[in-house]
Amino acid sequence: MKEGAKFHTVKSIDRVISAEIPDKDDDPHLYDVVKDMMIHGPCGAINKNSPCMVDGKCSKRFPKPTCEHTSIDDQGYLHYRRRNTGAFVEKKGFKCDNGFVVPYNEGLSKKYRAHINVEWCNQSRCIKYLFKYINKGQDRVLATIQKKNKPNRDAVAGNNDGGSLEKQDDEIKAFFDCRYVSACEAAWRILAYPIHYRSLPVEKLNFHLEGEQNVTYEDDDDVEAILNRPSAKMSMFLLSSRHVKSIPRRKI
């Protein structure tokens, strides 16, 4: 958060974030990581069957347009440098140029050899986008129930090599898409602590005329005890005498 650690110019952004295919001869290690981990799709006109395609367009807005220099538009949105260098990588039978490169950091990509999307955050929606991945699927887990396969005696008797194991598991039925509740969340819910701090904006009030509130009692209950109940007295919503004259005396 220090002022010296912020990137105020496009040159400082270019030193940290890249959105181009590196030269294979100059840095083959980085080239392999970008080719395998940082190429989106392919999608768009060259592959309309990609999962990211919605209504004939890429939901992630790939391929990105060509840019000779990194720029920031009037709305504060950053357009990374994507020069038309003629470089491309082949993915799923399609040739992908710089327009399909996901922004990355050279040092992080070479160190971890993984898909690490690095973005310049200057808007709240960018921060929400990054935190979406940090908290993505925090309450879900993929679980499977397995049982040991027992040897098939008939197969063992008919084979000199010891036979084979009988396949009994159904892989489709063995998997369950579950909701995972951690120990912290379970304790929080057991102790009935508030979860989202939201309440209904409308509260229902029992409206009745004076002396006409609903009272529940058994046949053998004492009348005085019923009328002196605190709950019966506190639940009354009475009208003043001037309002009672203008309203017919009936239950509502």
Side-chain angles (χ1 to χ4, degrees), residues 183-196:
C184 297
E185 182 180 356
W188 193 273
R189 291 181 179 274
I190 290 174
L191 297 175
Y193 290 147
I195 301 297
H196 47 65

Side-chain angles (χ1 to χ4, degrees), residues 189-238:
R189 291 181 179 274
I190 290 174
L191 297 175
Y193 290 147
I195 301 297
H196 47 65
Y197 297 101
R198 296 182 63 184
S199 60
L200 296 176
V202 178
E203 183 178 355
K204 181 181 178 182
L205 298 176
N206 293 325
F207 180 81
H208 55 79
L209 299 178
E210 183 177 0
E212 295 189 7
Q213 64 271 20
N214 293 327
V215 179
T216 303
Y217 58 91
E218 299 292 339
D219 293 337
D220 54 350
D221 289 344
D222 183 67
V223 177
E224 294 295 333
I226 297 174
L227 296 178
N228 292 328
R229 287 178 184 172
S231 59
K233 293 182 178 180
M234 296 177 62
S235 65
M236 295 181 183
F237 183 73
L238 304 178

Side-chain angles (χ1 to χ4, degrees), residues 136-171:
K136 199 172 187 179
Q138 76 281 5
D139 61 348
R140 301 187 70 83
V141 62
L142 184 63
T144 177
I145 300 177
Q146 297 179 346
K147 59 182 178 180
K148 294 182 179 180
N149 292 328
K150 298 180 179 180
N152 189 339
R153 296 182 179 180
D154 297 335
V156 173
N159 293 279
N160 296 327
D161 58 354
S164 60
L165 296 179
E166 182 181 2
K167 182 68 175 179
Q168 296 180 351
D169 292 340
D170 188 335
E171 293 184 1

Side-chain angles (χ1 to χ4, degrees), residues 44 48 53-58:
K48 296 183 179 180
M53 296 293 290
V54 178
D55 296 331
K57 296 181 181 180
C58 175

Side-chain angles (χ1 to χ4, degrees), residues 31-80:
Y31 174 84
D32 291 338
V33 176
V34 173
K35 180 186 68 173
D36 297 336
M37 306 290 182
M38 305 307 299
I39 301 298
H40 175 81
C43 60
I46 62 176
N47 185 17
K48 296 183 179 180
N49 296 323
S50 179
C52 63
M53 296 293 290
V54 178
D55 296 331
K57 296 181 181 180
C58 175
S59 59
K60 312 302 179 183
R61 299 182 180 180
F62 280 92
K64 303 292 185 179
T66 302
C67 297
E68 291 296 325
H69 304 282
T70 300
S71 61
I72 304 174
D73 59 21
D74 297 336
Q75 297 180 352
Y77 189 80
L78 184 68
H79 300 274
Y80 298 102

